[in-house]
Amino acid sequence: MVATGLLVASLFTLACGKPLSRLMQRHDARSDIPSGFVQGGSASPDAMLKLRLALVQSDPAGLEKALYDVSTPGSALYGQHLTQEEAAAFAAPTSETQQAVNAWLSENGITATALNPAGDWLSFSVPVSQANELFDADFTVFTHESTGKQAVRTLSYSIPADLQGHIDFVHPTTVFPQFKINRPVTFKPLKKNLTERALPSSCATEVTPSCLQELYGIPSTAATQSSNTIGVSGFIEEFANQADLKKFLENFRPDISSSDTFTVDEVDDGTNPQSESEAGLEANLDTQYTVGIATGVPNIFISVGEENSDGIDGFLDEINALLSQSNPPHVLSTSYSFNEPDLPFSIANNLCNAYAQLGARGTSILFSSGDGGVSGGQSEECSTFVPTFPSTCPFVTSVGATQDSSPEVAADFSSGGFSTLFAIPSYQSADVASFLSSIGTTNSGKFNRTGRAFPDISAQGVDVVIVFQTEIGTVDGTSCSTPISASIIALINDELTAAGKSTLGFLNPLFYANPSAFTDITSGDNPGCDTNGFSAAVARTTGYWSRYPQLRVAENYCWTLGLLGIPVMNFRNYE
Ligand SMILES: *[C@@H]1O[C@H](CO)[C@@H](O)[C@H](O)[C@H]1NC(C)=O
Ligand SMILES: *[C@@H]1O[C@H](CO)[C@@H](O)[C@H](O)[C@H]1NC(C)=O
């Protein structure tokens, strides 16, 4: 267990006297307060602020190359995942950076704590008065109107001019908390009454584990490898309830022990209280569809504490905690996201590189694509399409939603589109080019034709049965599709581990190179922003794919996690 976010503020700040003043240079500023927030007064000078410094990493390009080397089928290094030290070395700041930053911190009487083995993230606490001086800032209290939550932020900050090029950014400063996440928002009654222990074998009315096993050819036999694990992210006080999981397994996996469960990994003092009223819809869904599908795979619910989970802090702290573990989960399922425009490139890029580090070590990282169609995580007014992050990070696998089973079609809420921050990665460039040429000028000007396209795969996400606060009901969302997909990967990893092989790790180069493992989703669209969004269509019908006429790659919208109908064992052919 690694403590993240722990820090020791120096007691000698004032005793050391005023530090030499350095020439300061504006590092970031915003001209407006984000909508939804109102400005209050200055933050109390004595209030303690926990700040994080992101230092410039020494070799992000080297990390990217190493990630592709171990993840691209055919590469001599395929499957030879990096050790913790090897991966961290790429992210570690140069010794020059470390010295320059440490000298400045100690000059100010600050002792910082490294948040991960690479040491590219430092954390320390100082009173607001000192933070204002250190960064030429004006830390102010802002209130988020709809939630009433307060955040201390500054509209601009500076760093010493000689530290430009060493400090990437300071957080939290100008970036405001994100309270938008995608998760199933409503719990619906069942379309028909499911008789306990008399389970529907098809997906005709509701999606259950047995329906998914049948639809996607998922084995029901238990995994055998205790070293192979799956992690499930929990944010914003979403708690996973054991009693609900037990009832879910009793009803929908009567073939396995109803005491199968998860362990809890606490980040930022996260907890997992068990009272019925505190059970979370998202957390229940995520744990029920990982424990319930990834049969017998050790399951870790990662509960990120609310204290630091302003959205971004929680995401940063979770990945830094996982990077600090010597044996992080082999699959990470996360059904929370941001609208990409709400994050500055610096933070998105830093998180994305952290996911690359974990991917290079052999973890498959899956994020839900969002539930607002082309309007992003939520349906909102928009004149241009709103991509979601982390889905737009090229180093993660983005999961969209489908519905129905014959044929399976794209769910209309499923977010998908093109990044405005990250360029098209080579593993998907041919597919994206084909898709773009197929849509002609549709939606022209509303999205970035050179951006990374998402999602990468998709799975069932409508009328998915869960138990919530003892009731059986259904939910919709890419939040369903993500743990389902992650569980399939975990089961494949179990087979690979049993065969003495490495786990799948970063999935996308493998997936895009092997469309025959997938069912192509060829209809459905994802409306939003007063358009029909993108339509699913057959893609890349020429060239290489003509050897697989019956199994075409999906277009950018839904590369169905086809495993689908294809025995999991087929995947072994590709490692
Ligand atoms: C399911 O059963 C309950 C009570 O037995 C009933 O109130 C409800 O209408 C039924 N729902 C459906 C969809 O048949
Ligand atoms: C489009 O994406 C590219 C690559 O990520 C980026 O450099 C460019 O700024 C984007 N353009 C717009 C208008 O968003």
Side-chain angles (χ1 to χ4, degrees):
M1 263 292 295
V2 173
T4 60
L6 292 182
L7 45 97
V8 188
S10 168
L11 299 172
F12 305 110
T13 306
L14 297 170
C16 295
K18 241 188 150 31
L20 297 173
S21 68
R22 294 182 178 221
L23 178 66
M24 299 297 280
Q25 193 175 350
R26 176 69 59 87
H27 196 66
D28 194 29
R30 59 182 310 142
S31 53
D32 60 335
I33 300 166
S35 67
F37 285 90
V38 289
Q39 184 164 0
S42 291
S44 159
D46 300 329
M48 293 303 283
L49 258 192
K50 175 172 161 178
L51 295 170
R52 294 167 176 73
L53 291 185
L55 306 189
V56 172
Q57 302 177 337
S58 57
D59 192 6
L63 174 63
E64 180 171 346
K65 181 178 182 306
L67 173 70
Y68 285 124
D69 281 348
V70 300
S71 314
T72 306
S75 152
L77 294 173
Y78 184 76
Q80 296 180 34
H81 300 131
L82 274 56
T83 63
Q84 184 179 30
E85 293 69 30
E86 287 165 346
F90 290 109
T94 62
S95 55
E96 191 196 348
T97 291
Q98 291 175 31
Q99 280 160 19
V101 172
N102 284 337
W104 171 67
L105 290 173
S106 68
E107 187 180 299
N108 286 283
I110 294 167
T111 306
T113 305
L115 295 180
N116 63 27
D120 60 318
W121 273 100
L122 301 179
S123 171
F124 59 90
S125 280
V126 289
V128 163
S129 54
Q130 191 184 3
N132 281 337
E133 269 185 36
L134 274 177
F135 298 109
D136 257 356
D138 178 16
F139 281 98
T140 300
V141 179
F142 294 88
T143 303
H144 188 244
E145 286 175 296
S146 62
T147 60
K149 291 189 178 181
Q150 294 196 324
V152 174
R153 293 293 188 274
T154 177
L155 296 179
S156 73
Y157 73 99
S158 301
I159 62 173
D162 58 336
L163 293 182
Q164 299 284 358
H166 295 304
I167 292 179
D168 192 355
F169 59 93
V170 184
H171 182 76
T173 51
T174 51
V175 178
F176 281 60
Q178 297 299 323
F179 300 113
K180 288 180 214 149
I181 60 155
N182 89 64
R183 55 176 171 179
V185 282
T186 47
F187 185 65
K188 304 174 295 185
L190 291 167
K191 286 185 179 163
K192 68 167 198 199
N193 280 326
L194 298 176
T195 15
E196 302 214 345
R197 294 176 197 275
L199 310 172
S201 65
S202 81
C203 307
T205 52
E206 262 97 22
V207 173
T208 59
S210 53
C211 129
L212 292 166
Q213 287 167 343
E214 188 176 303
L215 181 66
Y216 295 157
I218 304 170
S220 59
T221 46
T224 58
Q225 305 297 305
S226 60
S227 66
N228 172 53
T229 56
I230 183 168
V232 176
S233 302
F235 293 102
I236 56 168
E237 296 191 309
E238 277 279 340
F239 304 125
N241 189 278
Q242 303 273 7
D244 283 345
L245 172 61
K246 187 169 171 46
K247 179 168 179 180
F248 178 80
L249 295 175
E250 280 165 3
N251 281 281
F252 303 109
R253 283 305 305 273
D255 57 317
I256 63 174
S257 164
S258 64
S259 46
D260 276 11
T261 188
F262 50 85
T263 56
V264 180
D265 187 353
E266 297 163 357
V267 174
D268 288 343
D269 301 324
T271 55
N272 195 37
Q274 291 300 301
S275 71
E276 187 187 317
S277 64
E278 287 178 285
L281 204 53
E282 179 69 58
N284 271 13
L285 164 65
D286 296 346
T287 46
Q288 287 169 22
Y289 277 82
T290 47
V291 175
I293 299 286
T295 312
V297 176
N299 191 301
I300 305 154
F301 178 64
I302 304 160
S303 181
V304 182
E306 176 66 2
E307 203 45 41
N308 297 311
S309 117
D310 74 343
I312 298 161
D313 288 356
F315 271 54
L316 287 169
D317 287 349
E318 183 194 38
I319 187 64
N320 280 323
L322 293 175
L323 288 173
S324 303
Q325 295 179 358
S326 48
N327 282 306
H330 298 88
V331 178
L332 177 64
S333 178
T334 308
S335 292
Y336 302 81
S337 66
F338 306 109
N339 285 343
E340 195 189 56
D342 292 340
L343 293 183
F345 178 71
S346 55
I347 287 186
N349 190 48
N350 187 288
L351 276 169
C352 188
N353 285 337
Y355 298 133
Q357 234 189 104
L358 199 63
R361 288 173 59 187
T363 298
S364 304
I365 303 175
L366 292 86
F367 280 96
S368 56
S369 73
D371 296 347
V374 286
S375 77
Q378 312 282 336
S379 301
E380 276 171 15
E381 296 271 303
C382 37
S383 54
T384 54
F385 296 166
V386 183
T388 61
F389 182 86
S391 277
T392 53
C393 167
F395 311 136
V396 307
T397 300
S398 169
V399 186
T402 60
Q403 63 184 60
D404 304 339
S405 49
S406 53
E408 204 171 345
V409 302
D412 64 0
F413 57 76
S414 183
S415 293
F418 296 80
S419 177
T420 60
L421 299 181
F422 298 97
I424 302 173
S426 65
Y427 59 75
Q428 64 171 197
S429 59
D431 299 279
V432 174
S434 161
F435 178 74
L436 288 175
S437 93
S438 78
I439 64 169
T441 57
T442 311
N443 298 324
S444 181
K446 294 191 180 293
F447 70 98
N448 189 336
R449 295 177 75 93
T450 63
R452 183 265 204 266
F454 73 101
D456 301 296
I457 56 173
S458 59
Q460 291 282 318
V462 173
D463 293 329
V464 175
V465 174
I466 67 164
V467 175
F468 175 59
Q469 299 180 352
T470 77
E471 301 290 318
I472 297 176
T474 67
V475 289
D476 299 341
T478 55
S479 283
C480 308
S481 318
T482 309
I484 292 168
S485 302
S487 295
I488 295 170
I489 302 306
L491 289 172
I492 297 170
N493 281 340
D494 177 70
E495 302 264 357
L496 290 169
T497 305
K501 308 206 159 150
S502 60
T503 53
L504 291 178
F506 175 43
L507 301 167
N508 298 3
L510 172 75
F511 280 2
Y512 283 87
N514 289 286
S516 62
F518 297 84
T519 301
D520 190 4
I521 300 301
T522 58
S523 63
D525 44 37
N526 62 348
C529 307
D530 289 325
T531 72
N532 286 332
F534 296 108
S535 297
V538 176
R540 271 227 281 183
T541 52
T542 57
Y544 173 72
W545 308 117
S546 61
R547 286 193 282 143
Y548 300 100
Q550 79 285 21
L551 295 160
R552 286 165 297 215
V553 72
E555 47 61 65
N556 95 295
Y557 182 67
C558 287
W559 278 275
T560 295
L561 186 45
L563 309 172
L564 320 187
I566 298 208
V568 162
M569 298 291 287
N570 278 17
F571 258 79
R572 286 212 184 137
N573 301 336
Y574 302 126
E575 31 71 59

